[in-house]
C-alpha cells in the first residue's frame, strides 16, 4: 500500500468526522485481519502485527484520498443508478410438484391458471416496447420462471420462436417435463437453462421436491442433468434446507462428477411457513457450506475442472469487483423492481417473484398499466427504497455492501416490515469472512470463472 500524509486540503484527517470510518474484521486467519471502510466497500488485508501502524494513519494515504470519492460514486451507481434489464415471467401459476419450501401459495400452484398464448405474445410485445432504446448493445433478458413454466410449454416455446431475436431467454424448471426434443430446441435458440435438484441421492433430494402424489423427482432430473452437461448457460440449483444441509459436500462431489460447471447452493427462502419450517440454523449452514466450498477447491486442484458455486462467487465478486457481480440479491437495495421485475400468469407485476404471493406488493398489471408507471408505483418504491442504512443493526455493519440483508420479501413476512434484517445474517457474515481468507491465501481464482477479471481495472 502506498503511504502518504493527509492534509487540511484533502479533508481527510484520521480519527475526525471527516476521516474514513474504518472497521476491523477478524477473519479467523492466522496472519491477517481485514480493515473496511463500509461506506465505500473499500477494504485492505492487514497483517496483525501491523495493525497499530495501519490504524494510526498508514491506510489513509494520498491514493485512497484521491480515489475515495470515485469508489463511493461507483458504489452509489451500483446501488441506486441501475435500471431494469430483466423480467421474471411466470407463464403459469401451476406446478406439477409440491415442494415443501415453495415461496408461492399452495392454492395458486394447485388451482392456478395458464397464461394464454395471445397474452404471452402481448405481454412480451409490451416489454419489448418498454426496453426499446434503453439498453445499449445488449438485449433484455426474459426468464420463464415458476411455478413450473413448462406446464405451459407449447405457448412458451412459441413465444421464444417469435421473440428470440429480441430477448435473451432463460428457463428455470424442475426439469420433469423436459424431453430430448425440448433440450435440442432450447440449445438451438440459445436459451439458458436452470434445473433444480436438492440432493445427491434420492432419499435426500426427494424429501423436499415431490409431486402432489408424494413421489419424488430425483430420477427424472438426474437424467436431464446428464443430457445437459456441456450446454452453455446450464446450471443446477440446490435449495439448502434442514433436509440436506449435512450433505452439501457430497452434493458438490456429485455434481462435479457429472461434469456440471455451475451450481447454486441457495439457502431456502423463508417467505412462507413451509420455507421457515425447513430453515437450517445459520451456524450449521455456514459450516457445511464452507466445507462444500473447500471440496470444490480440492476437486479443482485434483482434476483441473471447476464447479463454480455461483452464490458464493457473487459474494467474492462483491469484494473483489463490486460492479462485476452477477446476482443482485446481495446488495441494498436489492435488484427487485430496480434491476428486474416479475410478471405473474394473470399479468400482475411485482418487484420480484418472491413477492408474487404477497398481493400488497402488486405494482399494477402489464395488460392494464404502463410498465414505467408500475415501476414508480408505491409498492415498487417501498422495495427499491429499502436501504441498509435504515435497518437497525445493519446500518453499522462493516460488510453491509457485501450482503445487503436479503431478502426483502423474506424480511417482510418474518418481521412485518421491509426495513428489517433478512433471515440469514450470520451465514452472510461467515461467507464474507471465508471470502477474505480465500483472498488472503490468493486462491480466489479457484472459485471464479476463468477470465473473471478480464474487464476489471484496479483503481487503488
Amino acid at each position: 500500500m502506498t503511504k502518504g500524509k493527509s492534509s487540511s486540503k484533502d479533508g481527510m484527517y484520521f480519527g475526525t468526522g471527516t476521516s474514513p470510518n474504518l472497521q476491523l474484521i477478524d477473519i479467523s486467519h492466522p496472519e491477517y485481519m481485514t480493515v473496511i471502510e463500509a461506506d465505500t466497500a473499500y477494504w485492505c488485508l492487514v497483517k496483525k502485527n501491523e495493525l497499530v501502524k495501519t490504524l494510526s494513519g498508514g491506510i489513509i494515504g494520498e491514493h485512497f484520498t484521491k480515489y475515495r470519492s470515485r469508489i463511493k460514486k461507483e458504489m452509489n451507481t451500483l446501488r441506486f443508478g441501475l435500471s431494469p434489464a430483466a423480467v421474471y415471467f411466470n407463464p403459469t401459476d401451476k406446478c406439477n410438484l409440491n415442494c415443501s419450501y415453495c415461496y408461492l401459495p399452495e392454492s395458486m400452484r394447485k388451482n392456478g391458471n395458464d397464461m394464454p398464448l395471445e397474452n404471452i405474445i402481448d405481454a412480451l410485445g409490451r416489454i419489448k416496447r418498454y426496453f426499446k432504446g434503453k439498453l445499449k448493445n445488449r438485449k433484455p433478458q426474459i426468464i420463464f420462471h415458476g411455478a413450473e413454466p413448462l406446464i405451459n410449454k407449447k405457448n412458451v416455446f412459441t413465444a421464444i420462436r417469435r421473440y428470440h431475436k429480441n430477448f435473451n431467454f432463460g428457463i428455470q424448471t424442475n426439469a420433469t417435463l423436459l424431453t430430448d426434443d425440448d433440450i435440442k430446441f432450447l440449445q438451438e435458440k440459445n436459451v439458458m437453462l436452470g434445473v433444480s435438484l436438492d440432493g445427491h441421492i434420492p432419499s435426500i433430494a426427494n424429501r423436499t421436491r415431490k409431486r402432489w402424489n408424494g413421489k419424488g423427482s430425483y430420477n427424472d432430473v438426474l437424467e436431464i442433468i446428464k443430457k445437459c452437461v456441456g450446454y452453455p448457460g446450464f446450471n443446477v440449483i440446490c435449495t439448502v434446507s434442514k433436509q440436506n444441509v449435512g450433505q452439501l459436500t457430497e452434493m458438490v462431489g456429485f455434481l462435479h462428477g457429472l461434469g456440471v460447471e455451475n451450481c447454486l447452493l441457495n439457502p431456502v427462502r423463508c417467505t412462507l411457513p413451509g420455507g421457515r419450517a425447513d430453515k437450517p440454523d445459520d451456524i450449521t449452514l455456514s459450516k457445511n457450506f464452507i466445507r462444500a466450498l473447500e471440496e470444490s477447491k480440492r476437486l479443482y486442484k485434483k482434476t483441473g475442472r471447476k464447479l463454480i458455486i455461483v452464490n458464493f462467487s457473487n459474494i467474492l465478486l462483491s469484494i473483489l469487483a463490486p460492479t462485476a457481480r452477477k446476482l443482485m440479491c446481495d446488495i441494498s437495495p436489492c435488484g427487485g423492481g430496480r434491476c428486474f421485475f416479475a410478471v405473474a400468469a394473470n399479468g400482475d407485476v411485482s418487484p420480484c417473484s418472491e413477492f408474487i404471493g404477497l398481493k400488497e406488493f402488486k405494482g399494477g398489471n402489464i395488460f392494464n398499466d404502463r410498465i414505467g408507471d408500475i415501476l414508480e408505483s408505491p409498492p415498487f418504491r417501498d422495495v427499491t427504497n429499502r436501504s441498509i442504512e435504515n435497518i437497525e443493526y445493519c446500518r453499522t455493519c462493516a460488510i453491509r455492501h457485501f450482503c445487503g440483508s436479503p431478502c426483502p420479501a423474506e424480511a417482510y413476512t418474518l418481521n412485518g416490515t421491509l426495513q428489517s434484517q433478512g433471515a440469514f445474517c450470520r451465514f452472510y457474515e461467515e461467507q464474507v469472512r471465508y471470502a477474505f481468507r480465500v483472498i488472503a491465501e490468493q486462491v480466489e481464482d479457484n472459485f471464479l470463472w476463468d477470465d473473471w477479471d478480464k474487464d476489471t481495472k484496479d483503481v487503488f
Side-chain angles (χ1 to χ4, degrees):
M1 174 172 293
T2 302
K3 299 178 183 178
K5 295 181 179 180
S6 26
S7 67
S8 58
K9 183 178 179 180
D10 61 40
M12 294 288 287
Y13 288 109
F14 181 79
T16 69
T18 59
S19 71
N21 181 17
L22 303 178
Q23 295 172 264
L24 278 175
I25 293 184
D26 181 356
I27 61 172
S28 301
H29 189 276
E31 188 176 2
Y32 287 99
M33 293 186 74
T34 301
V35 178
I36 295 180
E37 198 217 20
D39 287 344
T40 57
Y42 162 80
W43 57 270
C44 183
L45 287 167
V46 181
K47 288 187 175 182
K48 292 179 179 180
N49 61 5
E50 295 182 358
L51 277 176
V52 173
K53 179 180 178 182
T54 300
L55 295 178
S56 296
I59 197 171
I60 312 176
E62 59 185 17
H63 289 78
F64 178 59
T65 301
K66 178 179 178 181
Y67 286 110
R68 184 174 188 259
S69 60
R70 174 177 170 181
I71 296 169
K72 191 168 186 177
K73 181 179 179 181
E74 288 182 353
M75 181 57 65
N76 284 340
T77 298
L78 178 67
R79 297 182 63 200
F80 305 110
L82 303 183
S83 56
V87 179
Y88 289 91
F89 197 111
N90 286 20
T92 180
D93 293 322
K94 300 174 186 174
C95 190
N96 59 330
L97 299 188
N98 185 29
C99 301
S100 61
Y101 50 68
C102 188
Y103 57 85
L104 295 174
E106 182 176 309
S107 58
M108 179 184 291
R109 292 181 283 115
K110 197 169 188 178
N111 304 309
N113 299 308
D114 297 334
M115 186 182 284
L117 176 61
E118 58 269 26
N119 285 14
I120 296 177
I121 298 299
D122 182 9
L124 290 178
R126 292 168 186 260
I127 294 170
K128 175 187 171 183
R129 290 191 291 275
Y130 169 76
F131 280 115
K132 186 176 181 180
K134 286 185 169 62
L135 302 180
K136 294 181 180 180
N137 303 318
R138 60 182 176 135
K139 301 176 186 176
Q141 190 174 22
I142 302 290
I143 304 99
F144 288 111
H145 208 254
E148 174 47 53
L150 295 185
I151 283 180
N152 202 1
K153 183 195 303 184
K154 181 179 178 181
N155 290 343
V156 166
F157 283 14
T158 298
I160 291 173
R161 289 188 187 95
R162 177 156 178 175
Y163 283 109
H164 74 274
K165 293 182 179 179
N166 306 111
F167 299 110
N168 290 322
F169 282 107
I171 293 180
Q172 179 61 44
T173 173
N174 62 38
T176 59
L177 301 175
L178 277 172
T179 67
D180 290 350
D181 287 342
D182 296 339
I183 295 171
K184 181 180 178 181
F185 167 76
L186 295 175
Q187 288 178 324
E188 289 173 350
K189 300 301 182 185
N190 297 313
V191 178
M192 293 181 294
L193 181 63
V195 304
S196 297
L197 185 69
D198 285 357
H200 67 294
I201 54 177
S203 60
I204 294 173
N206 292 340
R207 291 174 187 173
T208 49
R209 302 189 64 78
K210 293 178 280 192
R211 292 175 171 81
W212 291 95
N213 63 8
K215 184 179 178 181
S217 60
Y218 175 89
N219 291 331
D220 294 333
V221 179
L222 178 57
E223 290 306 308
I224 294 299
I225 291 174
K226 290 177 179 177
K227 292 174 182 178
C228 290
V229 168
Y231 179 141
F234 176 69
N235 68 78
V236 177
I237 294 180
C238 173
T239 299
V240 182
S241 68
K242 286 181 179 178
Q243 309 303 324
N244 63 359
V245 68
Q247 290 80 36
L248 298 185
T249 299
E250 291 85 351
M251 187 63 174
V252 164
F254 174 68
L255 294 176
H256 187 276
L258 290 173
V260 174
E261 297 177 357
N262 297 282
C263 77
L264 294 94
L265 303 179
N266 281 344
V268 59
R269 284 298 181 212
C270 301
T271 310
L272 292 183
R276 294 195 281 275
D278 270 331
K279 179 188 182 297
D281 72 84
D282 281 27
I283 299 301
T284 300
L285 172 59
S286 300
K287 289 180 178 177
N288 285 283
F289 186 82
I290 289 171
R291 288 189 189 114
L293 294 172
E294 286 288 306
E295 178 68 0
S296 74
K297 181 176 70 173
R298 186 189 72 81
L299 290 169
Y300 172 51
K301 289 182 176 180
K302 179 181 178 180
T303 66
R305 182 165 48 83
K306 293 180 183 179
L307 170 64
I308 302 298
I309 300 175
V310 178
N311 48 316
F312 174 70
S313 298
N314 203 61
I315 295 292
L316 199 51
L317 282 176
S318 75
I319 298 170
L320 292 167
T323 58
R325 67 182 82 191
K326 295 179 180 291
L327 306 176
M328 294 304 292
C329 294
D330 309 328
I331 188 72
S332 164
C334 74
R338 192 172 64 88
C339 301
F340 50 79
F341 56 90
V343 178
N346 65 354
D348 286 348
V349 182
S350 302
C352 170
S353 294
E354 289 285 337
F355 285 103
I356 285 180
L358 305 174
K359 295 302 181 184
E360 57 267 48
F361 290 95
K362 170 189 169 183
N365 187 283
I366 199 165
F367 302 116
N368 303 324
D369 304 296
R370 291 165 52 91
I371 293 175
D373 293 338
I374 294 172
L375 297 179
E376 296 296 329
S377 66
F380 271 66
R381 281 297 181 193
D382 286 345
V383 175
T384 58
N385 288 333
R386 180 184 185 260
S387 172
I388 199 85
E389 288 83 359
N390 295 328
I391 300 174
E392 192 68 32
Y393 181 83
C394 299
R395 65 168 62 103
T396 58
C397 180
I399 67 166
R400 58 183 179 265
H401 292 325
F402 307 141
C403 164
S405 194
C407 148
E410 194 172 56
Y412 176 80
T413 57
L414 284 171
N415 305 307
T417 175
L418 290 169
Q419 305 297 340
S420 58
Q421 287 175 256
F424 291 97
C425 180
R426 181 65 183 274
F427 171 61
Y428 276 92
E429 286 185 23
E430 295 306 319
Q431 276 194 87
V432 172
R433 292 183 208 278
Y434 180 74
F436 276 116
R437 294 199 295 274
V438 165
I439 296 167
E441 298 298 332
Q442 300 183 51
V443 294
E444 58 268 23
D445 286 349
N446 290 209
F447 301 93
L448 296 168
W449 299 268
D450 292 341
D451 299 322
W452 67 270
D453 56 349
K454 182 178 179 181
D455 297 318
T456 65
K457 182 181 179 181
D458 293 331
V459 295
F460 179 49

